[in-house]
Amino acid sequence: MFIFLLRRSSSRRLFSTTSIPPTTPSFSNLYTKYSFTPPPSLDKNPNKQIQHADNNNSNNKKKKKPPYRPPSSLDRSGDKPIKSDLPFDFRFSYTESNPAVRPIGLREPKYSPFGPERVDREWTGVCAPAVDPMAGKEETEKLEEKRKKIRERIQGEELTNAERIALVERCGKHKTKRQINLGRDGLTHNMLNDIHNNWKHAEAVRIKCMGVPTVDMKNVCSQLEDKAFGKIIHRHGGSLVLYRGRNYNPKKRPIIPLMLWKPQEPIYPKLIKTTIEGLSIEETKEMRKKGLAAPALTKLAKNGYYGGLVPMIRDAFLVEEMVRIDCKGLEKKDYSKIGCKLRDLVPCILVTFEKEQIVIWRGKDYNPKEGGCFLMSREFFDIDSGYKSQIESESSDDK
């Protein structure tokens, strides 16, 4: 018993904390053999090395691009107004507005859609004229001559048949996806900038026309050539190929200020009046009932191609007195614009727009209009007969 107590006391002494030094046990020589003192630093400011390493890491990182900021009319820090030498009036739409027709009034104040003090032209509520509107016809004639000279200078010599064929094939759907869509607003002002941006990378660009403007394709083609100074070298339905010209230089492209918002349309006289001219109120009511009950000549699809509508109505007026066109699914603005164009192109008298229908009357003394208010479904522009037959065979195979 006494021996056991001695062993227990000796074990307590060995593992007690009082006898062990605070650092390492006495029998361990590891600390004395492998301990070392760090050498003094060579640089007086040792923190510089850490800062230099941090700077290298920061330089290696890519600098973040500033976030995109869209153009705003409020950013006018010392900017001078843009001066454009284009010899025509700036309008929101060049195909859907007629400068000969004056509006009754405006729906909003004369706020310029280009932004305040961004363009050196005044906004009249309808357009930004290049010349003072009170100047007269002489100034407008000078602008037309200037446009013709600019277009002739840019176009240069005419394309040969081989060059035209190559450009048309290069702009095909199977070759490129580069395309500009022309919709219900027609040829807008900002679309001119898109055309010139495409002409930077290609000699010709494909334009697809849909909706209301296709009723008068001749107007669309003439406005494209007049405002963009290009030339249409191929057309199939609503698909056009617009060539930029031999002497076109993208570095010397015209300055086109962009519209920042769409201006509201002005107020024009009513298309459909309470009574038709030469008829009484009862006769107009009967005519509207009769027109709505008549069979529909055709049904217009939304965002479709309406190039054959004018000749179709002219042929129908040779047999029938009234024609109804089904416009279900179209917006009221769209079929009212179509009716306005039919009134001038056919010509005819608008009866009603009720129940999403266009009812037109040929009138008492109807004389069919002869002339090119519309174009053929396909134009080849002096292409060889062999290539023409090849295209016709391809189109028949597609059908």
Side-chain angles (χ1 to χ4, degrees):
M1 186 72 182
F2 180 73
I3 295 167
F4 177 74
L5 291 170
L6 286 172
R7 288 179 180 176
R8 193 174 180 184
S9 62
S10 62
S11 63
R12 283 181 181 176
R13 288 174 185 175
L14 287 172
F15 295 102
S16 63
T17 56
T18 55
S19 61
I20 298 171
T23 55
T24 55
S26 60
F27 55 82
S28 177
N29 295 324
L30 294 175
Y31 182 77
T32 57
K33 286 183 178 181
Y34 297 103
S35 65
F36 66 96
T37 56
S41 177
L42 299 175
D43 197 356
K44 294 181 180 179
N45 297 325
N47 295 327
K48 278 187 178 180
Q49 295 179 357
I50 299 168
Q51 292 177 359
H52 186 66
D54 293 339
N55 291 332
N56 289 333
N57 293 330
S58 63
N59 291 331
N60 292 332
K61 291 180 180 179
K62 292 183 179 179
K63 295 181 179 179
K64 292 183 179 180
K65 293 182 179 180
Y68 173 72
R69 291 182 64 187
S72 175
S73 60
L74 301 176
D75 298 337
R76 293 182 295 161
S77 57
D79 294 340
K80 295 181 180 179
I82 301 169
K83 187 177 181 181
S84 180
D85 296 330
L86 289 172
F88 53 83
D89 300 345
F90 291 162
R91 294 176 175 271
F92 174 73
S93 178
Y94 296 104
T95 56
E96 303 307 302
S97 60
N98 189 0
V101 179
R102 291 186 178 182
I104 298 172
L106 302 175
R107 300 180 190 273
E108 63 179 1
K110 297 178 182 178
Y111 294 131
S112 175
F114 299 99
E117 300 179 4
R118 289 189 69 248
V119 183
D120 61 342
R121 301 187 185 186
E122 293 184 2
W123 181 256
T124 62
V126 180
C127 66
V131 186
D132 187 7
M134 303 300 290
K137 293 183 179 180
E138 295 180 358
E139 296 294 334
T140 56
E141 291 177 357
K142 288 181 181 178
L143 289 176
E144 289 179 1
E145 292 178 1
K146 188 177 179 180
R147 289 201 298 271
K148 288 180 181 178
K149 289 180 180 179
I150 291 171
R151 189 169 176 274
E152 289 175 359
R153 176 175 56 81
I154 293 173
Q155 289 298 317
E157 296 181 1
E158 292 186 359
L159 292 171
T160 60
N161 290 339
E163 291 173 340
R164 190 179 291 108
I165 291 166
L167 284 173
V168 171
E169 288 181 350
R170 205 179 298 167
C171 292
K173 290 183 180 180
H174 59 286
K175 292 285 185 179
T176 180
K177 293 182 180 179
R178 194 181 296 276
Q179 177 177 296
I180 296 174
N181 294 326
L182 190 146
R184 66 175 62 170
D185 292 329
L187 177 62
T188 58
H189 179 77
N190 290 355
M191 199 177 290
L192 298 176
N193 189 43
D194 296 338
I195 291 170
H196 285 282
N197 288 339
N198 279 276
W199 279 346
K200 281 183 182 179
H201 310 286
E203 295 183 53
V205 61
R206 184 175 71 245
I207 301 173
K208 187 177 181 181
C209 307
M210 300 173 290
V212 180
T214 59
V215 175
D216 190 3
M217 282 300 296
K218 189 173 183 180
N219 182 34
V220 173
C221 296
S222 62
Q223 291 293 336
L224 278 169
E225 291 183 346
D226 186 40
K227 300 300 185 292
F229 307 116
K231 185 178 180 182
I232 295 171
I233 57 175
H234 179 71
R235 189 181 76 84
H236 178 209
S239 180
L240 311 172
V241 177
L242 188 64
Y243 174 60
R244 67 183 185 181
R246 286 187 186 274
N247 302 327
Y248 180 82
N249 187 1
K251 294 182 179 179
K252 296 181 181 180
R253 55 178 286 182
I255 299 170
I256 303 173
L258 296 178
M259 287 190 178
L260 302 181
W261 63 82
K262 178 181 177 180
Q264 288 191 2
E265 295 182 359
I267 303 169
Y268 289 100
K270 287 184 177 182
L271 294 174
I272 297 175
K273 300 178 181 179
T274 53
T275 57
I276 300 171
E277 294 182 1
L279 298 178
S280 62
I281 297 174
E282 294 179 356
E283 289 176 348
T284 53
K285 287 181 179 179
E286 289 178 1
M287 186 171 288
R288 283 168 185 167
K289 288 180 182 179
K290 184 180 177 182
L292 291 171
L297 179 65
T298 183
K299 183 177 181 180
L300 301 181
K302 190 175 182 180
N303 295 328
Y305 175 70
Y306 312 140
L309 189 60
V310 174
M312 190 186 300
I313 293 170
R314 286 181 181 176
D315 294 341
F317 275 160
L318 297 175
V319 181
E320 298 178 359
E321 188 179 1
M322 298 182 70
V323 169
R324 179 173 68 89
I325 302 165
D326 191 359
C327 301
K328 286 184 179 179
L330 274 70
E331 293 188 8
K332 189 175 181 181
K333 288 183 179 180
D334 292 349
Y335 58 78
S336 61
K337 287 181 181 179
I338 292 171
C340 182
K341 291 189 176 188
L342 294 176
R343 181 192 62 182
D344 300 330
L345 296 175
V346 174
C348 59
I349 298 169
L350 296 173
V351 178
T352 184
F353 287 148
E354 293 178 0
K355 298 179 181 180
E356 298 181 349
Q357 307 291 321
I358 298 176
V359 179
I360 51 179
W361 178 44
R362 68 181 184 183
K364 294 180 179 179
D365 301 326
Y366 174 71
N367 293 319
K369 188 176 180 180
E370 297 179 359
C373 288
F374 55 93
L375 299 173
M376 297 171 62
S377 61
R378 182 188 288 266
E379 290 189 1
F380 298 97
F381 299 94
D382 301 331
I383 294 177
D384 293 336
S385 59
Y387 182 69
K388 188 188 296 187
S389 60
Q390 181 182 352
I391 294 176
E392 288 177 350
S393 62
E394 288 178 358
S395 61
S396 62
D397 293 340
D398 294 339
K399 291 179 182 178

